[in-house]
Amino acid sequence: MPAHDTLTRRALLKTLTAAGGAAVARPFARFVDLLANEAPARELVARPSTVDLGGGRSWATWTYGGGVPGPVLGGARGTRFRLDLRNELAEPTTIHWHGLPVPPGMDGVPGLSQDPVQPGDVFSYDFELTHPGTYLYHSHAGLQLDRGLMGPLVVTDPDDPVRADVDVVVLLDDWLAGNPDDAFAALRSQPGFGMMGGMREVAYDGYVANGAVADPMPLSVARGALMRLRLINGAASTTFVVGVEGRPLTVTHADGQAVAPVVVDTVRLGMGERYDVTFRADDAGPWTLFAGNVDARVPAIALPIVVDGGPRTTGRPLAWPATLLRGRRLQYEQLRPLAPPPPVVVPVREVPLTLGFAPGYAWTINGETFESAAALAVREGERVRLVFRNLSMMRHPMHLHGHFFEVLTGAGRGPLKDTVIVDPMGQVAVEFTADNPGRWLMHCHHAYHMEAGMAREIRYA
Ligand code: C2O
Ligand code: CU
């Protein structure tokens, strides 16, 4: 068994049963609704490890608990979450609970919300799981996320509008075999970067679904069951498109928050975005979940979905199926919150934010990088509208810590999210109520753009 296998015998048996007797090449149970069945983790060790990526490839990198991604963490809404992070790396680290509003001291941004956890030290995270949904946790130190220091965070909801029979996390990632700090240094020293149309940034060695670059463990479902996929983009710099060949998807949650259901064929996920989608296994299948870089001609991931232990598809991503290539792709305009949001009764203050690029590989907001810019001041209780205008040829998934924002889609009250893609030369406006005093970060979730300055502190006056 691979070194990163930390499953209990009970969980493994559960997988074997769930897989309907299919061959289990790599344990998969930790991605499958483990929260309800396992004692919650009390400690997470950040440490170097060699992980098995499948397809004969292994990767010497930094991990949470020996695997990439780390274990599914979370709990039920309203419960207390306590976890000790033990740092066995040679560098300082932290954990950020992406999307989940936590007290400011627990948010994991080194220098802003907490002191970085030094090598050999332990830091205790302790907060209430106030909001149900699908989230992500990751290191917020430098480019550690691109080494694999991330995992799924799920807060279950006793009143969940979706009653799924099978509840599965599908975490997508890009795989850089080398060192992200070297990749960043190479980008910085490339003099013509950004000048000549095609901006190629980091060249990845593969794409990963639930820890496998090849031959991922099939998902299993019983005929007639309702399947829920919690799609998470944990990549450092890849925007994914995801669809299931043969099954339209009902989008039920955007960034963990319930939306009025929308039926589509594919969804696009920027780095840090999540969608929960469902479908009913009302025929014999088998189907395949395809996922790939939005800019590539072919998908990179083919995850078989098996019905009643029956036949499975090949698991080889050779081409995009026409139904997904030309099918309906989710647009933000289609999303509305499931419950009507409270009316906005205070004046709205508008903050224009221009996203741009400067030579030497600097990514800027209003012409400035994080290091040189002043914090954006907000007052408790005020309503703030951030208007992102992208003057570059790259996508920027903009993420706000500590708050949800409402995406203003021009079609009524839009969805509550925490991360939103601003397309090249595009504009997106979001609004949030300043209701969580502290020091927070707002930034592009492209790890290299953030490292190159595309971030701002939001500070309560
Ligand atoms: Cu997931 Cu500041 O990020
Ligand atoms: Cu960006």
Side-chain angles (χ1 to χ4, degrees), residues 96-99 107 109 136-140 145 271-272 399-401 419 441-445 450:
H96 168 58
W97 313 97
H98 177 109
D107 195 48
V109 180
L136 168 74
Y137 64 92
H138 60 82
S139 163
H140 218 294
L145 178 148
M271 296 76 86
H399 171 54
L400 175 63
H401 286 222
T419 309
L441 208 59
M442 182 269 295
H443 63 92
C444 175
H445 218 276
M450 180 178 81

Side-chain angles (χ1 to χ4, degrees), residues 226-309:
L226 184 68
M227 190 163 203
R228 174 191 199 147
L229 305 177
R230 298 176 185 262
L231 307 173
I232 304 175
N233 184 351
S237 53
T238 302
T239 303
F240 282 99
V241 172
V242 184
V244 175
E245 187 183 20
R247 293 288 95 176
L249 304 173
T250 302
V251 180
T252 64
H253 295 73
D255 291 355
Q257 311 313 301
V259 294
V262 186
V263 179
V264 296
D265 296 297
T266 58
V267 296
R268 179 178 77 149
L269 295 101
M271 296 76 86
E273 283 192 300
R274 294 90 61 208
Y275 288 106
D276 291 21
V277 300
T278 62
F279 59 85
R280 196 165 287 283
D282 52 12
D283 67 37
W287 310 298
T288 311
L289 178 147
F290 285 93
N293 184 330
V294 71
D295 297 317
R297 294 245 177 93
V298 288
I301 288 160
L303 185 60
I305 304 175
V306 174
V307 182
D308 280 344

Side-chain angles (χ1 to χ4, degrees), residues 313-327:
T313 50
T314 64
R316 282 196 203 98
L318 297 176
W320 277 107
T323 50
L324 299 186
L325 196 61
R326 286 188 278 280

